[in-house]
Amino acid sequence: LGRLLMSPGDLQQAEPHLRCALRGLEQVLGPDDPETLIAASNLGTLLKHRGLFEEAQPLVRRAWEGSVTLRGEEHPETLVFAMNHAAVLKEMGRCMEAEPLLRKALEILGKHRGSQHPDVLAAAGHLSSLL
C-alpha cells in the first residue's frame, strides 16, 4: 500500500505504511532478508523525496550494504540500492562519496541492461548532476 501511495505522490500518507511494512518484515523475516532490505530502501527513498536526508541515509545504506553481502557488488539489485544511497548522499552534499557508486552502477548496469534501461538512465542522470 505504501508503494502505491508513493506513486501518485502522496508521500505523507505512504510513510506510515512503509514504516509498518519495514517493522513487520524485520520481525518476521529478519533484518537482513532481501524483502526487508527492499522495504528499508523504499522507506529511505520516500524520506529522501520528503527532504529528510539524515533519516533516509542509514536506511538506503543498510539496503545497499545488505545486498552487497547477500548478492555481491555487481548484482543488479545491489547496484540499484547503490544508486539510491548515492542519490541521498548527493542531496546531503556528499558528492565525493556518491560519484564512485554512480559510476560503478552506470558501467555495470549499462553492460547488462543496455543504455536505454530506466535504471541506467537514472544512474546517468544522477551522475551528470554531480559533474
Side-chain angles (χ1 to χ4, degrees), residues 1-3 14-29 35-36 39-40 42-43:
L1 182 57
R3 288 285 295 166
E15 185 177 338
H17 296 288
L18 292 176
R19 286 187 186 280
C20 181
L22 178 57
R23 277 192 308 273
L25 289 167
E26 287 172 333
Q27 291 173 355
V28 174
L29 301 176
E35 292 299 318
T36 305
N42 288 343
L43 178 57

Side-chain angles (χ1 to χ4, degrees), residues 24-107:
L25 289 167
E26 287 172 333
Q27 291 173 355
V28 174
L29 301 176
D32 300 320
D33 185 85
E35 292 299 318
T36 305
L37 298 176
I38 291 169
S41 183
N42 288 343
L43 178 57
T45 299
L46 175 136
L47 294 169
K48 177 191 79 116
H49 289 301
R50 293 198 57 213
L52 302 171
F53 309 123
E54 295 294 330
E55 191 176 351
Q57 194 272 336
L59 291 165
V60 293
R61 181 181 179 134
R62 172 183 161 195
W64 168 57
E65 289 176 343
S67 190
V68 167
T69 300
L70 288 174
R71 298 182 178 96
E73 289 186 7
E74 296 190 2
H75 188 279
E77 193 159 310
T78 300
L79 295 167
V80 170
F81 288 154
M83 288 183 347
N84 292 344
H85 185 223
V88 173
L89 291 172
K90 180 184 80 162
E91 294 295 336
M92 296 173 77
R94 295 166 58 183
C95 298
M96 297 297 285
E97 294 173 70
E99 185 177 347
L101 294 174
L102 292 170
R103 285 189 185 280
K104 184 174 187 172
L106 180 61
E107 176 189 347

